[in-house]
Short mmCIF file of all heavy atoms in Angstrom, two decimals:
data_model
loop_
_atom_site.label_atom_id
_atom_site.label_comp_id
_atom_site.label_asym_id
_atom_site.label_seq_id
_atom_site.Cartn_x
_atom_site.Cartn_y
_atom_site.Cartn_z
N ILE A 30 3.49 14.97 3.64
CA ILE A 30 2.42 14.10 3.19
C ILE A 30 1.68 14.72 2.01
O ILE A 30 1.58 15.93 1.90
CB ILE A 30 1.40 13.79 4.31
CG1 ILE A 30 0.71 15.08 4.78
CG2 ILE A 30 2.07 13.11 5.49
CD1 ILE A 30 -0.37 14.86 5.80
N LEU A 45 9.18 8.73 5.62
CA LEU A 45 8.30 8.71 6.78
C LEU A 45 8.97 9.52 7.88
O LEU A 45 9.71 9.00 8.71
CB LEU A 45 8.03 7.27 7.22
CG LEU A 45 7.21 6.43 6.25
CD1 LEU A 45 6.96 5.04 6.83
CD2 LEU A 45 5.89 7.11 5.92
N GLN A 46 8.68 10.79 7.85
CA GLN A 46 9.31 11.73 8.76
C GLN A 46 8.29 12.79 9.15
O GLN A 46 7.61 13.34 8.29
CB GLN A 46 10.53 12.39 8.10
CG GLN A 46 11.32 13.31 9.01
CD GLN A 46 12.53 13.87 8.28
OE1 GLN A 46 12.58 13.93 7.06
NE2 GLN A 46 13.52 14.29 9.04
N ASN A 47 8.15 13.04 10.44
CA ASN A 47 7.22 14.06 10.90
C ASN A 47 7.76 15.46 10.62
O ASN A 47 8.96 15.64 10.35
CB ASN A 47 6.97 13.90 12.40
CG ASN A 47 6.35 12.56 12.74
OD1 ASN A 47 5.47 12.09 12.02
ND2 ASN A 47 6.80 11.95 13.82
N SER A 48 6.89 16.45 10.67
CA SER A 48 7.29 17.81 10.34
C SER A 48 8.35 18.36 11.30
O SER A 48 9.08 19.28 10.96
CB SER A 48 6.07 18.74 10.34
OG SER A 48 5.41 18.70 11.60
N ASP A 49 8.45 17.77 12.52
CA ASP A 49 9.47 18.21 13.47
C ASP A 49 10.77 17.43 13.34
O ASP A 49 11.69 17.59 14.14
CB ASP A 49 8.94 18.10 14.91
CG ASP A 49 8.59 16.68 15.30
OD1 ASP A 49 8.74 15.76 14.45
OD2 ASP A 49 8.15 16.46 16.46
N THR A 51 11.21 14.16 13.60
CA THR A 51 11.19 12.85 14.25
C THR A 51 10.63 11.81 13.30
O THR A 51 9.93 12.13 12.33
CB THR A 51 10.36 12.88 15.54
OG1 THR A 51 9.00 13.25 15.20
CG2 THR A 51 10.93 13.89 16.51
N LEU A 52 10.92 10.55 13.60
CA LEU A 52 10.47 9.44 12.76
C LEU A 52 9.31 8.72 13.45
O LEU A 52 9.38 8.46 14.65
CB LEU A 52 11.61 8.46 12.51
CG LEU A 52 12.89 9.04 11.90
CD1 LEU A 52 13.93 7.95 11.73
CD2 LEU A 52 12.58 9.70 10.55
N PRO A 53 8.24 8.39 12.73
CA PRO A 53 7.14 7.64 13.35
C PRO A 53 7.61 6.23 13.71
O PRO A 53 8.42 5.63 13.01
CB PRO A 53 6.08 7.61 12.25
CG PRO A 53 6.84 7.77 10.98
CD PRO A 53 7.99 8.67 11.31
N GLU A 54 7.09 5.72 14.82
CA GLU A 54 7.47 4.38 15.26
C GLU A 54 6.51 3.31 14.75
O GLU A 54 6.91 2.18 14.51
CB GLU A 54 7.53 4.33 16.79
CG GLU A 54 8.60 5.23 17.40
CD GLU A 54 8.64 5.13 18.91
OE1 GLU A 54 7.79 4.41 19.49
OE2 GLU A 54 9.52 5.77 19.51
N HIS A 55 5.25 3.69 14.63
CA HIS A 55 4.23 2.74 14.20
C HIS A 55 3.39 3.37 13.09
O HIS A 55 2.89 4.49 13.26
CB HIS A 55 3.31 2.34 15.36
CG HIS A 55 4.02 1.72 16.52
ND1 HIS A 55 4.61 2.47 17.51
CD2 HIS A 55 4.24 0.42 16.84
CE1 HIS A 55 5.15 1.66 18.40
NE2 HIS A 55 4.95 0.42 18.02
N VAL A 56 3.23 2.64 11.99
CA VAL A 56 2.35 3.07 10.92
C VAL A 56 1.42 1.91 10.56
O VAL A 56 1.66 0.76 10.93
CB VAL A 56 3.12 3.52 9.66
CG1 VAL A 56 3.97 4.75 9.96
CG2 VAL A 56 3.98 2.40 9.11
N ALA A 57 0.35 2.24 9.87
CA ALA A 57 -0.59 1.21 9.45
C ALA A 57 -1.08 1.51 8.04
O ALA A 57 -1.20 2.67 7.64
CB ALA A 57 -1.77 1.12 10.42
N VAL A 58 -1.36 0.44 7.32
CA VAL A 58 -2.01 0.53 6.01
C VAL A 58 -3.37 -0.13 6.14
O VAL A 58 -3.47 -1.30 6.52
CB VAL A 58 -1.17 -0.16 4.92
CG1 VAL A 58 -1.97 -0.27 3.62
CG2 VAL A 58 0.12 0.60 4.67
N THR A 132 -0.80 -3.23 10.73
CA THR A 132 0.01 -2.32 11.53
C THR A 132 1.46 -2.77 11.52
O THR A 132 1.75 -3.96 11.64
CB THR A 132 -0.52 -2.28 12.98
OG1 THR A 132 -1.91 -1.91 12.96
CG2 THR A 132 0.25 -1.27 13.81
N VAL A 133 2.38 -1.81 11.41
CA VAL A 133 3.81 -2.11 11.33
C VAL A 133 4.55 -1.35 12.43
O VAL A 133 4.43 -0.12 12.53
CB VAL A 133 4.39 -1.72 9.96
CG1 VAL A 133 5.87 -2.09 9.88
CG2 VAL A 133 3.60 -2.39 8.83
N LEU A 135 7.88 -0.18 13.03
CA LEU A 135 9.08 0.01 12.20
C LEU A 135 10.36 -0.33 12.96
O LEU A 135 11.32 -0.86 12.37
CB LEU A 135 9.14 1.46 11.71
CG LEU A 135 7.99 1.89 10.79
CD1 LEU A 135 8.05 3.39 10.54
CD2 LEU A 135 8.04 1.14 9.48
N ARG A 166 -5.26 3.58 2.86
CA ARG A 166 -4.63 4.77 3.43
C ARG A 166 -3.50 4.35 4.35
O ARG A 166 -3.52 3.27 4.94
CB ARG A 166 -5.65 5.63 4.17
CG ARG A 166 -6.23 5.01 5.42
CD ARG A 166 -7.38 5.83 5.99
NE ARG A 166 -7.80 5.35 7.31
CZ ARG A 166 -7.52 5.94 8.46
NH1 ARG A 166 -6.80 7.07 8.47
NH2 ARG A 166 -7.93 5.46 9.60
N LEU A 167 -2.51 5.21 4.45
CA LEU A 167 -1.38 5.04 5.35
C LEU A 167 -1.51 6.06 6.46
O LEU A 167 -1.75 7.24 6.18
CB LEU A 167 -0.06 5.25 4.59
CG LEU A 167 1.22 5.27 5.43
CD1 LEU A 167 1.60 3.87 5.90
CD2 LEU A 167 2.37 5.88 4.60
N PHE A 168 -1.38 5.63 7.71
CA PHE A 168 -1.49 6.58 8.81
C PHE A 168 -0.55 6.23 9.95
O PHE A 168 -0.10 5.08 10.08
CB PHE A 168 -2.94 6.70 9.31
CG PHE A 168 -3.53 5.44 9.89
CD1 PHE A 168 -3.54 5.22 11.26
CD2 PHE A 168 -4.10 4.48 9.06
CE1 PHE A 168 -4.10 4.06 11.79
CE2 PHE A 168 -4.66 3.32 9.58
CZ PHE A 168 -4.67 3.12 10.95
N ASP A 169 -0.23 7.25 10.74
CA ASP A 169 0.59 7.10 11.94
C ASP A 169 -0.32 6.65 13.07
O ASP A 169 -1.24 7.37 13.46
CB ASP A 169 1.24 8.45 12.27
CG ASP A 169 2.21 8.40 13.45
OD1 ASP A 169 2.01 7.56 14.35
OD2 ASP A 169 3.15 9.21 13.48
N THR A 170 -0.10 5.45 13.58
CA THR A 170 -1.01 4.92 14.60
C THR A 170 -0.84 5.60 15.96
O THR A 170 -1.73 5.52 16.80
CB THR A 170 -0.83 3.41 14.77
OG1 THR A 170 0.51 3.15 15.21
CG2 THR A 170 -1.05 2.68 13.45
N THR A 171 0.29 6.25 16.18
CA THR A 171 0.51 6.94 17.46
C THR A 171 -0.31 8.22 17.53
O THR A 171 -0.96 8.51 18.54
CB THR A 171 2.00 7.25 17.65
OG1 THR A 171 2.75 6.03 17.61
CG2 THR A 171 2.24 7.93 18.99
N THR A 172 -0.29 8.99 16.46
CA THR A 172 -0.99 10.29 16.45
C THR A 172 -2.35 10.22 15.75
O THR A 172 -3.17 11.12 15.91
CB THR A 172 -0.14 11.34 15.73
OG1 THR A 172 0.01 10.96 14.35
CG2 THR A 172 1.23 11.46 16.38
N GLY A 173 -2.56 9.16 14.98
CA GLY A 173 -3.79 9.07 14.20
C GLY A 173 -3.76 9.86 12.91
O GLY A 173 -4.74 9.90 12.17
N THR A 174 -2.64 10.49 12.59
CA THR A 174 -2.52 11.33 11.41
C THR A 174 -2.51 10.49 10.14
O THR A 174 -1.70 9.56 10.02
CB THR A 174 -1.24 12.18 11.46
OG1 THR A 174 -1.25 12.99 12.63
CG2 THR A 174 -1.12 13.07 10.23
N GLU A 175 -3.40 10.80 9.22
CA GLU A 175 -3.40 10.13 7.92
C GLU A 175 -2.28 10.72 7.07
O GLU A 175 -2.18 11.92 6.87
CB GLU A 175 -4.74 10.31 7.21
CG GLU A 175 -4.81 9.57 5.89
CD GLU A 175 -6.19 9.63 5.27
OE1 GLU A 175 -7.11 8.95 5.78
OE2 GLU A 175 -6.35 10.36 4.27
N ILE A 176 -1.43 9.86 6.54
CA ILE A 176 -0.27 10.30 5.78
C ILE A 176 -0.58 10.39 4.29
O ILE A 176 -0.20 11.35 3.62
CB ILE A 176 0.92 9.35 6.04
CG1 ILE A 176 1.28 9.34 7.53
CG2 ILE A 176 2.12 9.74 5.20
CD1 ILE A 176 2.29 8.30 7.92
N THR A 177 -1.26 9.39 3.76
CA THR A 177 -1.68 9.45 2.37
C THR A 177 -2.84 8.49 2.16
O THR A 177 -3.08 7.60 2.98
CB THR A 177 -0.52 9.11 1.41
OG1 THR A 177 -0.91 9.42 0.06
CG2 THR A 177 -0.14 7.64 1.49
#
Side-chain angles (χ1 to χ4, degrees):
I30 62 176
L45 292 182
Q46 184 178 23
N47 298 320
S48 58
D49 62 0
T51 60
L52 304 179
E54 296 181 356
H55 301 85
V56 296
V58 170
T132 304
V133 182
L135 297 171
R166 67 189 189 104
L167 173 74
F168 63 97
D169 184 330
T170 61
T171 301
T172 64
T174 301
E175 183 174 288
I176 300 172
T177 191

